[in-house]
Amino acid sequence: MADLARVAIELTSAAQGVRAGVLDRLCEACVRTLPVDGAAISMMTGPGRPVARSASSRQVAGLEELQFTLGEGPGMAAFTLGEPVTVADLYRPDSRWPVFAAQAATVTSAAGCPLRAVYAFPLALGRVPLGVLDLYRSEPSDLDPELDEQARLAVDTVALVLAGTAGRPTGGGPGADWLHDSLLDQVEVDQAVGMAMVQLGVASDEALARLRGYAFAHGLTMSEVASAIVGRTLRLSRGEQ
C-alpha cells in the first residue's frame, strides 16, 4: 500500500507549479517511482495521431518515433483496443507488428543500452480516450502483478493530472496550457497530410499511410517526411512509395 501511495503522490506532485514540460515531468516521475527503466506518454486524437509526446530517454523516444512512423506497435494497439498490451521481449519476432518487431531491436541497440520489454496502457477519462502510457524495462520480462497494479494506478493518476493541467490558463495562474503548445508540434504533420491528399488525390487516411510508407522506405521518421513536404523539398507522386 505504501508503494501505491508513493506512486500517486509522486505523479500528482510532478505537475504542481509547472508552467511547461508537464509530460516530461510525468515521464520522469514514472521512472523514479515504478520498477521500470523508461516511460513515454503520447496524447492522441486518434489511432496513430499523437498531438503531444514525451519520453524519459533518447532510447525510449526512438521506439516511440518508430511506432508513430510505422503506425503499429504496442502503444498504438493499446490505444485502439482500449486495453493494456505487453511485449515481454522486443528482440523476439512478433506477428502482431512484424515490421515494428523487426526494427525495434535495431533502434534500441544503436543507443548502447537496449530496452527489451514494453507495457502499453491506454490513458482515458471514463470512456474518453486520451492517449497511451508506455513503460519499458531493460530486461525481458512479463508484466508481473506488482507492476501491473502500480501501473494501473499511475495511468489513472496521469489521466487526472493531464485533464487538470490542460485546462489551466497560460497567463496569471500556475501551470500552462501545455496541450495548446503541444498541438503546434502536430500541425506540421497535419499540413503534410493535407498537401499529400492534394498531390495524390486520396483521402486523409490513405495520405497518412503513404507518408508512413515513404518514411519507412527511405529510412526517415514521419516528422522528417512531414517537414520536407511542408517545406516543399519533397513532393509525392501517385506512383511513388
Side-chain angles (χ1 to χ4, degrees):
M1 184 61 69
D3 287 340
L4 292 177
R6 179 169 175 260
V7 170
I9 291 171
E10 287 281 347
L11 290 173
T12 302
S13 300
Q16 291 182 353
V18 177
R19 292 191 61 81
V22 173
L23 295 183
D24 294 339
R25 293 282 295 273
L26 288 171
C27 286
E28 293 168 0
C30 284
V31 175
R32 189 168 60 246
T33 57
L34 300 174
V36 298
D37 301 298
I41 296 173
S42 295
M43 308 296 290
M44 300 185 190
T45 57
R49 289 182 175 271
V51 296
R53 291 182 292 166
S54 181
S56 62
S57 70
R58 183 165 58 91
Q59 296 168 269
V60 173
L63 285 172
E64 295 295 303
E65 183 65 39
L66 180 63
Q67 292 192 72
F68 177 42
T69 298
L70 297 176
E72 68 174 34
M76 298 294 180
F79 181 84
T80 301
L81 297 173
E83 59 186 38
V85 175
T86 67
V87 180
D89 191 352
L90 285 168
Y91 280 30
R92 292 181 180 177
D94 196 320
S95 60
R96 293 174 293 180
W97 321 289
V99 181
F100 171 78
Q103 297 289 320
T106 301
V107 169
T108 59
S109 60
C113 183
L115 296 168
R116 298 292 296 272
V118 57
Y119 319 107
F121 293 83
L123 290 169
L125 277 178
R127 296 184 178 180
V128 180
L130 300 177
V132 179
L133 171 64
D134 289 345
L135 301 174
Y136 292 86
R137 275 179 170 168
S138 58
E139 297 295 330
S141 60
D142 291 316
L143 178 62
D144 58 76
E146 179 183 7
L147 176 56
D148 184 40
E149 185 178 29
Q150 293 179 347
R152 290 177 186 274
L153 175 61
V155 164
D156 291 341
T157 306
V158 167
L160 290 172
V161 168
L162 292 178
T165 58
R168 292 177 182 171
T170 56
D177 190 354
W178 60 267
L179 185 56
H180 175 271
D181 295 336
S182 298
L183 282 169
L184 298 178
D185 297 333
Q186 180 65 13
V187 167
E188 194 166 59
V189 173
D190 289 338
Q191 286 178 329
V193 169
M195 292 173 68
M197 290 170 63
V198 175
Q199 293 170 9
L200 302 172
V202 297
S204 60
D205 288 347
E206 175 64 18
L208 181 61
R210 290 292 297 274
L211 293 185
R212 288 197 168 109
Y214 186 94
F216 177 71
H218 293 81
L220 301 172
T221 65
M222 266 291 289
S223 300
E224 290 170 335
V225 172
S227 180
I229 289 178
V230 173
R232 290 178 170 78
T233 60
L234 171 64
R235 180 184 177 88
L236 299 182
S237 63
R238 293 178 185 267
E240 185 174 24
Q241 182 64 34

